[in-house]
Amino acid sequence: MDTEKGYPRGFRADSIRSETGRGSFRSDSMQFDEPHELPQENSPNLVRFKHIDSGNLDATKAFLDRNPEALTASLTSNGDRPIHKAVLSGHIKIVEEIVKRIHDPVQELVIKNDDGYTALAYAATGGIVRIAECLVKKCPRLV
């Protein structure tokens, strides 16, 4: 097991995403696979994405302190929210921080991305029990 992320060694979170036929976002390079022009309003999303994906808890907290609306913003072209990205990245402390800040768990944690996945579905697929427990504790309706 990768102790930081909780995923089995060799697990690739992008392997659980369905093929959509659109250009996909590669978190390892922070670039689109196909050339895209990012809309100007998505520029702050790249900052959020970078902090969450890198596992930088302090930077994520500071950003969320300054931008509380970021919790409900879509970060990727397939509709992933910060909670989806944090779960996919496997950063347990960041997931816990985001969950702690969610005011309406029923509305926020049941949201599916464009591929039809909730954050809990990603946690279950990745086998990260601690993240799944954190999500279900905040919103028992998920199960």
Side-chain angles (χ1 to χ4, degrees):
M1 282 290 214
D2 179 333
T3 56
E4 177 188 324
K5 292 190 174 187
Y7 285 112
R9 197 169 308 285
F11 176 80
R12 290 182 40 139
D14 59 347
S15 67
I16 60 177
R17 293 184 183 150
S18 66
E19 292 299 318
T20 62
R22 299 183 299 226
S24 61
F25 196 78
R26 293 183 42 217
S27 61
D28 59 333
S29 66
M30 294 295 293
Q31 297 176 2
F32 282 95
D33 288 336
E34 298 172 9
H36 267 90
E37 186 70 30
L38 274 179
Q40 198 67 343
E41 67 270 10
N42 283 341
S43 297
N45 292 344
L46 293 178
V47 173
R48 286 173 244 171
F49 185 93
K50 180 180 176 187
H51 293 320
I52 292 170
D53 197 46
S54 69
N56 189 334
L57 180 60
D58 292 334
T60 300
K61 283 180 175 181
F63 186 87
L64 292 174
D65 287 342
R66 290 187 314 273
N67 305 283
E69 73 284 355
L71 285 173
T72 59
S74 179
L75 296 181
T76 64
S77 61
N78 74 336
D80 284 337
R81 304 267 179 134
I83 190 66
H84 290 99
K85 188 59 199 153
V87 171
L88 279 170
S89 297
H91 298 298
I92 294 168
K93 295 290 186 191
I94 291 179
V95 170
E96 291 171 342
E97 183 65 28
I98 290 171
V99 166
K100 180 175 79 175
R101 291 171 183 251
I102 291 175
H103 297 293
D104 186 357
V106 172
Q107 183 176 346
E108 290 303 315
L109 294 179
V110 300
I111 289 177
K112 296 179 181 179
N113 64 12
D114 295 346
D115 295 327
Y117 293 108
T118 63
L120 181 60
Y122 281 143
T125 303
I128 308 176
V129 175
R130 187 167 157 198
I131 288 178
E133 288 173 342
C134 175
L135 297 171
V136 171
K137 183 177 178 183
K138 183 75 172 189
C139 182
R141 273 189 171 174
L142 289 171
V143 286

